[in-house]
Amino acid sequence: MDKSKMTERVQRLREMTTSTPVHIDLERAKIETDFYRENEGKYSIPVMRALVLKEYFSKKTLYLGDDELIVGEKGIDPQASPTFPELCCHTVEDMHIMNDRDIVSYKVKPEDIELQAEEIIPYWQGKSMRDKILERMTPEWKESYEAGMFTEFMEQRGPGHTCGGDRIWTHGYAEYKQEIQEALDNLDFLNDMEALDKAEELKAMMIDCDAVMILGQRYHDLAIEKANAETNPIRRKELLQIAENCAVVPAQKPKTYWQALQAYWFTHLAVTSELNPWDAFSPGRLDQHLYPYYEQDVEDGILEDDFALELLECLWVKFYNQPAPVKVGVTLKESGTYTDFANINTGGIRPDGRDGVNDVSYLILDCMDAMQLVQPNSNVQISQKTPQRFLKRACEISRKGWGQPAFYNTDEIVQELLNAGKTLDDARCGGSSGCVETGCWGKEAYILTGYLNIPKIFQLTLYNGFDNVSGKQLGLKTGYAADYKTYEELYDAFKAQLKYFVDMKVRGNNVIEKLYAEEMPAPFLSIVTDDCIKNGRDYNAGGARYNTRYIQGVGIGTITDCLSAIRYHVFDKKDLTMQELIDAMDDNYEGHEDVFRMVHDRSPKYGNDDDYADGIMQDVFKTYRDTVTGRKTVCGGTYHIDMLPTTCHVYFGEVLNATANGRLAHKPVSEGISPEKSADTNGPTAVIKSCAKMDHCSTGGTLLNQKFTPSVVAGEKGLDNMASLIRAYFAMDGHHIQFNVIDKQTLLDAQAHPEDHKDLIVRVAGYSDYFHNLDKALQDEIIERTEQSL
Amino acid sequence: MNVITNIQKYSIHDGDGIRTTVFYKGCPLRCEWCHNPETQRFQAELQFDREKCTGCRRCQAACPSGAISFDEPGAKAKTDPELCQLCGRCVDRCVNEAREIIGEEKPNKELVRELMKDQIFYEQSGGGVTLSGGEVMAQQDFDKVVDLAKRLCRNGIAVNIDTCGYAPYERFRKILPYTDVFLYDVKVMDPETHKRVIGTDNALILENLANLSRDGARIYLRIPTIPGISGTEENMAAVIDFLNSNGIRPAQINLLPYHDTGKGKYAKLGREYPGGECEVPSDDLMEKFVKQFLDAGFQNVVIGG
């Protein structure tokens, strides 16, 4: 956080949002439940859903805080988290857990628990999507889900993972209404057998346009009211301007930069109030969408950079005001964070393929730097055409060590999108949202369905499909470890197990996709996603131009090292028998130090630019990709893979005993496509080379974390080297990289647990070295020095 | 034969950009402050970290020469260097990673394959390969070093030579055509002090520097700065005089502040640290020396590598 780059107003807003505890807000649930009680059965499902949003926006408590320049909250006030009982109806026990838990807690008022028990639960129990989904899953699915073979995204949250395209910046909802009316007028009720369904969907979209315009009107009225009561002439003027903004947007196209930001925010609120879609919603390439307004305002002499920056900072506060919808159980474990992943992309290319960096891009970087907020999840898009100045400015912020911005490869993303069947024009309008997921913004429903525990699938392959942790036969009976006479036999058995679990996951997904398509449409999200209006079909029912489902693979570093250790010692060198290895694993390597050293330290490991291990990674990757990619979905979409974990690698590790690579029981598995912890001992260039051997272009996104101590990236030279690492990785088609610049606490931990930090590089003096290679006195010295430099 | 101790990737302080540094084993000098004592001797040697040893005796069982002994139950291993054949079996058997053999011969073909792996990083960053040590210019089979530089050069890799300058000029002449930059150490100008703290005379070093400059080499002059020894106003003034009188204009001057990070390594090698008297220079002192060079009209004077 850099106060000098924030006005006093922004400092106050930032302080307010970061110091307010996250709390549960049942107003939405109450309004919705009352409405359902009164109107159940009167309307078609899409119309009913639209009417719920309209009811909410007509009745909800409005918040317009002191200092605010951009207005509108999803809940009653900042840090409020509305619930969505139609998707997940929390039990009283859930409410207590979310209130009491140590991390990611949501404060619940006693009267809310009462309301939940007396009104919400009695209506929604058995009717929520979560209840319907879990009821329809097979016993095998349930056992595997509970054992941590995979997770399920739609069990508590709606499909989403999407991002706004350009049209929301150039269209008011009055214009959208005209388009929807035209689509209604063009329906062929004689020959089109789906016309009746389409009509209901389109009517729902009309109602949703009204819903968001009502919200705008109400904010206009509130701002006027507040202005009339305001004694401070400066604030009064601001409130009148807010009122004027809300008189234009969201009904009409914005006329100014300020109105453009306000217009986006109304759309954001509507998408995230309609349902609780994963990863909220994102303005996508904010800089490019804002630029025409910025340019015009600057030319007209009504906007200066300081104020343009302040407005951006006000938008950042708005994002931070919205914690992720509350999660419980496995879904909390896979995504244990308040962050809702609205991922803003800056830089990249324009739709015509030229460099996309503009003046607003630099303002966004300044905003990121000043605010240092984990929400929104800001990143930069780097193409071959991106100016070095922009890349270095981004590196300068990144090396401050709080993890933003992350870096994405625009050129590779375009290849991913082309590979998945998009046109070149559409591909150039895409980017990454959420964590690293690729999508064609405003034109695609790309929906993550869950994480797959690949190391655990391999573990089952060694135990005839039996899971020692849950004590259940989850997988196929392909044989025990000692039965495999060759590496190929073992690998084929793994392939069979993998297919078995992917089949199980997809079969469950089909049920869920159909349930959402039929019972939980998202007509508002459909308005802003091409071509739902034209097709008269909902976002959740395949109405978008492109429809993609992702399954996210987790733990490729861990499984690669397991296979590598087995191949190297058991089959190639034959200095270890499979039974000796299994015995050591069963004892969590206690009393088996020799075996541990062999598999943990004397086997080729992924992440060292060593073809022996990296070749195995490529095999596993191809097997996984080919097992998933190209499968068809219920609503006419196609499956692809992502390689990212959020926080799921920790959960997947918890449910996994000691593995063949020397990873001890219940320790996290490797995250993203990063190597297993401590396995990469050859420096960052080797990690990047290893990771680049994966065919990123055939995925929908991969995630790579790199750790550095601050001094390694210090100075102009450090900045240049950081930029070069990124350019090199991207030249090799890497998708994404982010930097973790280490603090003192980590160094202390590295000293206490060197085994866990073998890959930590520190600047010593005149040269850099691995931290674990240094003796204690020197480590102490560096720890002290780091403290001084921070 | 030339022995290599380490190939360090993402080396960012041994010349421009992202580099890979090859550390050759063996050095003709014995600087008191040396932070890489494992590269002083030309032969491979066993390194032992007493702190990690648990006295489990696996090494003793593995040793074919009976070189390892234990004074009492639970004591740390002792290795008799006379008996040790450096076969490495004890290293394989040690479960605590307490033992390591430093130094290995590698054919150039293998080295080139390894060094080419990071080509894309060299190209993106303006980096390359640095041949260092120990002392690369003092390697027994010097033709092999020249051959390596030549192969790298042919592959479009910028080669830096990190040297103390103590080698026949003939060798410098041979490697010059394949060298992008010489990272050339100058330590102490007074011959007597040089002899006392480094063990040799400095005439050859200074003569080679003048010759290299005359022959058109690109030079980054590096001055390890130890207060009271090389880090004195007089010594820096003497360096400046020498450069001026020989018309040497280094492309960069790096003042390398002394650090005692090599201390721990001596114990692992079973040796005494000879640099006990050396002290770390203050930032102010370093800045003073930078100013001294700038005032004398030199450009690109930086602290650190």
Side-chain angles (χ1 to χ4, degrees), chain A residues 594 597 602 609 682 684-685 688-689 712 717 721 724 727-728 732 758 763-768 775 778, chain B residues 9-10 12-13 15 17-18 58 91-97 117-118 120-121 124-125 259 261 264 268 305:
Chain A
D594 299 81
R597 283 296 161 207
R602 286 156 203 166
D609 196 9
N682 242 332
T685 58
I688 284 174
K689 283 283 302 290
V712 174
K717 199 170 171 182
N721 288 332
S724 298
R727 292 273 191 202
M732 292 185 282
K758 275 198 170 171
R763 171 103 166 118
V764 183
Y767 72 104
S768 299
D775 62 26
L778 181 52
Chain B
K9 292 187 177 181
Y10 196 64
I12 52 177
H13 314 296
I18 296 172
R58 282 181 174 86
V91 177
D92 282 345
R93 288 290 287 141
C94 177
V95 295
N96 303 306
E97 298 192 282
K117 280 185 176 176
D118 277 6
I120 191 161
F121 299 98
Q124 290 291 340
S125 67
H259 55 79
T261 57
K268 287 187 194 176

Side-chain angles (χ1 to χ4, degrees), chain A residues 161-449:
Chain A
H161 275 282
T162 194
C163 210
D166 55 340
R167 274 164 49 89
I168 57 172
W169 299 86
T170 54
H171 284 63
Y173 285 88
E175 278 174 276
Y176 275 122
K177 276 184 86 169
Q178 283 174 16
E179 262 181 50
I180 297 163
Q181 189 59 53
E182 278 167 32
L184 267 169
D185 293 345
N186 288 335
L187 285 177
D188 179 352
F189 289 96
L190 188 60
N191 297 306
D192 181 355
M193 295 307 130
E194 288 176 26
L196 294 169
D197 290 340
K198 290 178 181 173
E200 290 304 311
E201 175 70 24
L202 290 166
K203 273 188 231 164
M205 293 186 198
M206 290 287 254
I207 295 164
D208 271 341
C209 289
D210 289 336
V212 74
M213 291 194 289
I214 287 169
L215 187 68
Q217 183 62 44
R218 289 184 66 206
Y219 267 105
H220 164 269
D221 298 348
L222 179 62
I224 294 278
E225 194 185 303
K226 287 205 168 224
N228 289 339
E230 180 62 57
T231 52
N232 178 340
I234 298 171
R235 182 59 183 161
R236 187 179 141 79
K237 207 177 149 206
E238 284 171 3
L239 285 163
L240 289 173
Q241 184 59 54
I242 289 168
E244 195 186 319
N245 291 346
C246 296
V248 177
V249 299
Q252 312 298 328
K253 169 187 181 340
K255 291 178 186 154
T256 64
Y257 174 87
W258 192 348
Q259 287 177 8
L261 288 165
Q262 182 64 61
Y264 171 75
W265 191 246
F266 280 129
T267 296
H268 186 96
L269 292 178
V271 170
T272 55
S273 297
E274 173 178 55
L275 287 173
N276 64 1
W278 273 100
D279 293 358
F281 195 60
S282 158
R285 40 182 71 186
L286 182 61
D287 51 351
Q288 292 184 42
H289 296 314
L290 279 176
Y291 189 67
Y293 298 104
Y294 168 86
E295 199 182 21
Q296 186 63 51
D297 285 6
V298 169
E299 201 181 305
D300 294 348
I302 58 168
L303 183 68
E304 291 187 4
D305 277 1
D306 286 350
F307 190 58
L309 176 62
E310 185 174 28
L311 284 171
L312 282 174
E313 291 173 346
C314 287
L315 180 70
W316 254 238
V317 170
K318 279 289 164 194
F319 276 103
Y320 198 86
N321 282 350
Q322 325 294 318
V326 66
K327 289 161 263 183
V328 293
V330 169
T331 300
L332 176 75
K333 290 193 170 189
E334 73 179 356
S335 180
T337 171
Y338 290 124
T339 301
D340 209 13
F341 304 104
N343 202 343
I344 293 174
N345 290 227
T346 304
I349 55 170
R350 296 191 223 179
D352 64 5
R354 287 183 298 153
D355 171 39
V357 172
N358 60 44
D359 291 346
V360 179
S361 316
Y362 288 99
L363 286 175
I364 290 175
L365 290 183
D366 288 345
C367 171
M368 233 184 257
D369 193 16
M371 299 299 278
Q372 298 205 359
L373 288 173
V374 295
Q375 289 201 84
N377 188 18
S378 323
N379 73 65
V380 289
Q381 292 272 338
I382 305 298
S383 85
Q384 289 179 53
K385 298 158 192 156
T386 303
Q388 193 70 357
R389 177 189 156 212
F390 179 78
L391 173 58
K392 281 181 75 174
R393 173 73 182 114
C395 287
E396 195 176 46
I397 300 167
S398 172
R399 76 172 171 188
K400 291 186 180 175
W402 56 288
Q404 282 189 26
F407 298 81
Y408 292 79
N409 183 355
T410 309
D411 304 316
E412 185 269 349
I413 286 171
V414 170
Q415 288 192 65
E416 279 182 25
L417 288 165
L418 289 173
N419 175 60
K422 277 80 171 178
T423 66
L424 181 61
D425 282 353
D426 287 349
R428 283 174 173 163
C429 296
S432 273
S433 63
C435 290
V436 297
E437 304 87 290
T438 301
C440 192
W441 294 338
K443 301 175 179 68
E444 180 173 14
Y446 51 106
I447 292 162
L448 275 67
T449 65

